[in-house]
């Protein structure tokens, strides 16, 4: 959530965002350990890991920008928004992969993941151009929105409920913050509307990290893993998968 920068941003606002970045980083490390130990589906590990990595970068840069009082127009701000849009791309593809794990045909699953990946990449590129031209939080929210919807849908189809709750937590936190701001409600001096949203973000990355590791272990089954038995096959940009 963004708006006009406050003269003095409460410490909690940027501190809880730094916590969100740390939780995303921990989730990413857990996914990488699963992949390295060949305990995770490579496709799922690639895209859920990318989601956590981009989220970690976005939240970390946002915490630094707010904590150091940087303007909402500089390179750090723009990079934060671009990483936020990139997380939307990763979420789009990760959601498609979750759906693909429920399909009987591995070929259909691969095509679904490819379509979501390329479509998400095109949307990300368009949104990045818009962000660079006019770096506003609203554009980044639009860029991340479809990815969040796809991940919620994919997690629901795959019955990955921790992942499902993680995908919902951030938009719910944002919605609560907007609702409080529209009333408006007088908040304690240590809290801000952005701080409410960032709390939802921290909960989101906590659940996404846990949900990712749980679902990756469950999805790593012989009949599902055959089509994704190498990291190369996990990447949608590879020329062709067997």
């Amino acid at each position: 959530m963004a708006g006009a920068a406050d003269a003095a941003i409460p410490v909690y606002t940027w501190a809880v965002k730094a916590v969100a970045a740390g939780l995303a980083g921990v989730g990413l490390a857990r996914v990488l350990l699963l992949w390295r130990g060949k305990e995770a589906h490579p496709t799922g590990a690639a895209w859920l890991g990318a989601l956590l990595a981009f989220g970690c970068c976005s939240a970390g840069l946002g915490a630094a920008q707010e904590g150091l009082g940087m303007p909402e127009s500089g390179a750090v701000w723009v990079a934060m928004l671009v990483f936020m849009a990139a997380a939307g791309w990763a979420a789009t593809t990760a959601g498609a992969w979750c759906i693909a794990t429920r399909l009987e045909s591995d070929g259909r699953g691969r095509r679904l993941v490819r379509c979501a990946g390329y479509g998400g990449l095109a949307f990300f590129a368009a949104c990045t151009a818009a962000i660079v031209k006019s770096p506003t939080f609203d554009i980044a929210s639009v860029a991340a929105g479809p990815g969040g919807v796809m991940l919620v849908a994919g997690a629901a189809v795959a019955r990955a409920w921790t992942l499902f709750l993680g995908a919902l937590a951030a938009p719910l936190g944002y919605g609560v913050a907007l609702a409080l701001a529209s009333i408006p409600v007088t908040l304690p001096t240590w809290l801000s509307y952005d701080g409410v949203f960032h709390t939802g973000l921290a909960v989101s990355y906590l659940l996404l990290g846990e949900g990712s590791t749980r679902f990756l272990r469950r999805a790593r089954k012989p009949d599902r893993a055959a089509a994704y038995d190498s990291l190369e096959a996990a990447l949608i940009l590879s020329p062709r998968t067997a």
Side-chain angles (χ1 to χ4, degrees):
M1 183 179 183
D6 295 330
I9 297 176
V11 173
Y12 180 84
T13 298
W14 59 264
V16 74
K17 198 168 190 178
V19 169
L23 291 171
V26 170
L28 172 62
R30 294 177 67 186
V31 168
L32 290 177
L33 286 173
L34 285 177
W35 170 75
R36 184 176 176 82
K38 297 183 179 180
E39 299 177 53
H41 214 297
T43 304
W47 289 109
L48 289 169
L51 168 60
L52 291 165
F54 292 142
C56 179
C57 292
S58 178
L61 288 171
Q65 180 264 329
E66 292 178 350
L68 298 175
M70 298 179 184
E72 295 184 350
S73 59
V76 173
W77 173 255
V78 173
M80 182 199 77
L81 299 180
V82 170
F83 276 118
M84 184 175 169
W89 170 33
T92 299
T93 317
W97 173 76
C98 288
I99 295 172
T101 63
R102 302 292 296 180
L103 298 178
E104 292 300 324
S105 168
D106 288 327
R108 289 181 181 178
R110 289 197 299 272
R111 287 193 293 272
L112 175 61
V113 173
R114 278 204 197 96
C115 288
Y118 283 122
L121 177 59
F123 188 61
F124 164 66
C127 289
T128 297
I131 288 170
V132 172
K133 184 177 180 180
S134 177
T136 63
F137 187 83
D138 290 341
I139 296 176
S141 296
V142 170
V149 172
M150 188 68 171
L151 185 58
V152 167
V157 170
R159 299 175 186 175
W161 300 118
T162 306
L163 197 62
F164 175 82
L165 292 174
L168 280 179
L172 283 176
Y174 185 59
V176 170
L178 287 178
L180 292 175
S182 65
I183 296 177
V185 172
T186 301
L187 298 176
T189 55
W190 56 270
L191 185 61
S192 67
Y193 299 121
D194 279 351
V196 173
F197 166 49
H198 297 164
T199 301
L201 193 66
V203 173
S204 176
Y205 284 128
L206 173 65
L207 293 174
L208 286 175
E210 179 65 23
S212 294
T213 53
R214 286 187 182 187
F215 185 57
L216 285 169
R217 285 194 181 102
R218 177 157 62 89
R220 185 64 178 176
K221 297 177 182 178
D223 59 327
R224 299 300 182 194
Y228 310 102
D229 57 359
S230 70
L231 180 60
E232 182 182 22
L235 302 176
I236 62 163
L237 299 181
S238 58
R240 189 174 181 178
T241 56

